[in-house]
Amino acid sequence: METTRHNTATVYVVHDGATALHEHDRLGLWLPPGGHVERDELPHHAGEREVREETGLDPTLLLADPEIETGVVRSLPQPEHLLLEDIHAYEGGEVGHQHVDFVYFAAVDSRAIDPDGDERDPEHWEWFTPERLREADVGDEVETIGIEAIEAVGER
């Protein structure tokens, strides 16, 4: 069987020591904003777009300065994490679909969530402090990366 892979972008948005998560309807998991990278879209731009669409917030991504900048080549902003996520596995363990997830951290100016268009209700979003992430059943990677994002944004 062939494994299909799609690029996705995820952004842990942080304000005042907490990160925003929503409970995914189909998966039943608490997740930060994110989604598929569209054709001809750079991953960091997809992350910014997804945050605006899903939360209505305007993210400021934590990005390192480009290392290479010439007239022909430039460095892309590096994600904080680059994850390979198994999305669909067949009986027997063979993986049919994966996401290559570019994970970014971002600061936002408020906690007022007002999604654009047909995105989920603001009531589906909650802000998680490190303590709440440790206590809640959000999954190991969301807990670990969420706390890392809160600490990284707090240091800037």
Side-chain angles (χ1 to χ4, degrees), residues 9-15 18-20 32-35 41-63 77 102-116 125 127 149 153 156:
T10 297
V11 182
Y12 283 80
V13 295
V14 176
H15 183 270
T19 190
E41 187 177 38
L42 294 171
H44 62 290
H45 291 157
E48 292 168 328
R49 174 184 52 76
E50 289 288 347
V51 170
R52 285 191 292 276
E53 288 176 359
E54 294 183 16
T55 69
L57 299 169
D58 189 25
T60 301
L61 297 181
L62 302 187
L63 301 172
F102 295 77
V103 180
Y104 299 95
F105 298 164
V108 292
D109 290 338
S110 91
R111 292 189 184 184
I113 293 183
D114 185 18
D116 293 343
W125 289 91
W127 290 89
V153 169
R156 294 214 177 176

Side-chain angles (χ1 to χ4, degrees), residues 15-93:
H15 183 270
D16 196 26
T19 190
L21 303 175
H22 69 92
E23 192 167 19
H24 192 282
D25 294 333
R26 189 172 43 85
L27 301 175
L29 302 170
W30 286 95
L31 298 173
H36 286 81
V37 177
E38 294 178 359
R39 182 184 168 141
D40 296 331
E41 187 177 38
L42 294 171
H44 62 290
H45 291 157
E48 292 168 328
R49 174 184 52 76
E50 289 288 347
V51 170
R52 285 191 292 276
E53 288 176 359
E54 294 183 16
T55 69
L57 299 169
D58 189 25
T60 301
L61 297 181
L62 302 187
L63 301 172
D65 290 331
E67 297 174 16
I68 299 172
E69 185 80 37
T70 71
V72 180
V73 184
R74 66 184 176 277
S75 297
L76 287 175
Q78 295 184 14
E80 297 295 330
H81 294 279
L82 186 59
L83 305 176
L84 183 61
E85 302 164 345
D86 294 340
I87 303 303
H88 176 76
Y90 296 105
E91 210 171 290

